Amino acid sequence: MIEAFARTTDGIVSLAEFRRLLDSGRRLTVKFGADVTAPFLHLGHAVNLWMMREMQERGHHVVFLVGDFTTLVGDPSGLAAARAARRAGEIAEDAAAFLRQAGRILVTDDPALFSVRRNSEWWAGKPLAEFLAMLAEVTASRLMSRDMFRARLEAGGEVRAHELVYPVLQGRDSVELGADLTIVGSDQLFNESMGRHFQEKAGQKPQVIVTTRITPGLDGRRKQSKSLGNFVGLEDGPRDAFGKVMSLPDGLVVQWLEVYTTVPPGRVREIERALAGGGCNPMDAKRELARAVTARLHGEASAAAEESWFLDTFRGRGFPEDAPVASLASGGRKALDLVAELEPGSSRNALRRLLMEGAVELDGRRLGSADEAIVLPPGFSGKLRVGRRRFFRIVVAGVSGGAGVSGGAGVSGGAGGLAEGPGGPTGWGC
RNA sequence: GGAGAGAUUCCCGAGUGGUCAAAGGGGGCAGACUGUAAAUCUGUUGGCUCAGCCUUCGAAGGUUCAAAUCCUUCUCUCUCCA
């Protein structure tokens, strides 16, 4: 168990206690606390979830703690009561989305293994006197010692008073749940340590904290987050998952293999050595990574299919067979209007720029101006590419079987073109 | 409570009455190059019915032909003192 955790674990407080818990034969309560502001789970969360799933496999119980109360007070700009009230509804929605995503990894339909709690259960209506008594159990300097706060203050930033108190709330949650164990990103160590502190004050056995390694996201710099867009989401389709991993900087391949896949350590070392010695093309290593990540999230079959698709489309520079089909009316229109029909989500200015930058091609011919007139005869069918990765097959109704389809046959036939076949991951360069 | 500094487009940060949709950098997007990597070069980076118009420089008012820039009030932040 502990051995299985090792590759993704940053630290354990404490290892001895963890061993004792596991040996006790007791059904353990694992706390899975979550702020529900942005219900967007990604690989970073998955690391924790996979470990919790392991615990479930051994019969332990995961409590999903919705921070509905802490989220409500957590927003410093949420001054108006009206605003807070409105957000209560959003929180419920977000919590549902969160649960749905977590359910992709955790067992959520067995009450013996999973339950949901809300921290408003004990925080809403908590008498102030009781709360102040809790505050008396910590020193201000302890709270302020958190490195994040220090860094912010030193940078001339601000720390709101409620932020200072937030770890107290999160820590007390562990008391309310009687948590035995919590598995969190290493940036949560401080908050969860407060949990141990308060549990001891309350006469409970302090929870064991397993902190997991935090790995830079797709941008190669900061950890994955929704706002930075540098993540592989649990709800991303297999195609996006594969493609996103392929855009990872080379230097992170080994780290990602360790943290996000179950590729055996021996194999990871092998790849690491091959990369270091120039013995393999980094892209091949990354392909193995992308395949492993996609398979873990979506199954081996999808992973194999997306790998073929990727190779055909990007390495082979092909036009994807399964590009979305857009049925358009026949007739003339400006290039800009054509693209706008296909990309209703983008602003026309943005599309105009793309056209000027030469990012739009119709049947291999670059459309260089927004005003260029495009005439689509009845029966026309063509391939439109916008930027590197957006493809559309344009079809115009009308049976007059005329010149339309002239430019076909540019694409070699589908996945069959791949010699390697869907076999094992061996046989690559690494 | 007192004194000072400040709030600018995604971020940092210039800009003290018209030449400002606002320098420069970062980040993003796109093109070249490529392996949807990195590095490099180039372009671009509020919206639209696009030689023009609309919205934007903490908020609301005001002065002016004209305001990010001046005045008033307000909100908020930082620093020092108490």
Side-chain angles (χ1 to χ4, degrees), chain A residues 1-67:
Chain A
M1 179 85 222
I2 291 175
E3 290 66 36
F5 277 9
R7 66 190 289 162
T8 52
T9 297
D10 182 63
I12 299 179
V13 183
S14 69
L15 182 57
E17 289 175 32
F18 193 23
R19 288 226 165 88
R20 238 173 284 138
L21 275 184
L22 291 173
D23 291 343
S24 72
R26 214 153 48 75
R27 170 173 302 220
L28 302 176
T29 298
V30 183
K31 171 190 176 189
F32 168 35
D35 252 357
V36 289
T37 40
F40 240 86
L41 298 191
H42 48 64
L43 275 181
H45 301 106
V47 170
N48 301 338
L49 292 170
W50 281 318
M51 290 165 83
M52 286 186 247
R53 171 69 190 238
E54 282 288 309
M55 295 298 291
Q56 285 185 317
E57 301 285 342
R58 286 164 175 73
H60 300 297
H61 185 95
V62 170
V63 181
F64 172 38
L65 175 61
V66 180

Side-chain angles (χ1 to χ4, degrees), chain A residues 27-34 49 52 56 59-67 95 98-99 102 106-119 121-122 176-178:
Chain A
R27 170 173 302 220
L28 302 176
T29 298
V30 183
K31 171 190 176 189
F32 168 35
L49 292 170
M52 286 186 247
Q56 285 185 317
H60 300 297
H61 185 95
V62 170
V63 181
F64 172 38
L65 175 61
V66 180
F98 210 98
L99 189 56
L106 290 180
V107 176
T108 56
D109 54 3
D110 181 348
L113 299 181
F114 186 81
S115 59
V116 179
R117 300 287 297 277
R118 301 171 177 276
N119 66 8
E121 287 172 33
W122 46 87
E176 297 292 338
L177 295 177

Side-chain angles (χ1 to χ4, degrees), chain A residues 187-335:
Chain A
D187 58 345
Q188 289 294 309
L189 177 61
F190 182 88
N191 289 346
E192 292 301 332
S193 296
M194 294 306 293
R196 286 175 63 86
H197 178 80
F198 281 109
Q199 282 179 304
E200 283 190 294
K201 293 281 181 191
Q204 291 184 10
K205 222 166 183 197
Q207 63 185 355
V208 166
I209 305 169
V210 173
T211 58
T212 54
R213 293 171 65 184
I214 290 184
T215 308
L218 295 173
D219 60 357
R221 292 160 207 224
R222 288 157 302 186
K223 68 171 183 171
Q224 297 181 67
S225 86
K226 186 196 174 191
S227 55
L228 294 173
N230 62 345
F231 64 94
V232 178
L234 297 191
E235 291 206 316
D236 281 342
R239 178 156 305 171
D240 278 348
F242 195 98
K244 282 182 174 184
V245 175
M246 288 307 286
S247 74
L248 183 76
D250 291 350
L252 287 172
V253 169
V254 171
Q255 206 177 329
W256 272 51
L257 278 168
E258 283 171 350
V259 175
Y260 296 134
T261 75
T262 52
V263 172
R267 174 69 185 144
V268 175
R269 293 283 82 79
E270 196 178 311
I271 292 172
E272 186 175 25
R273 274 195 304 274
L275 284 173
C280 88
N281 185 335
M283 191 194 55
D284 289 325
K286 211 189 294 181
R287 217 162 44 148
E288 185 165 343
L289 170 67
R291 171 95 171 241
V293 168
T294 308
R296 199 172 188 191
L297 293 175
H298 299 284
E300 189 57 49
S302 321
E306 292 312 330
E307 180 176 18
S308 300
W309 185 91
F310 182 88
L311 292 175
D312 280 350
T313 302
F314 294 112
R315 193 183 64 177
R317 302 272 165 135
F319 190 90
E321 289 295 324
D322 55 357
V325 176
S327 308
L328 303 181
S330 65
R333 71 259 278 160
K334 289 181 178 176

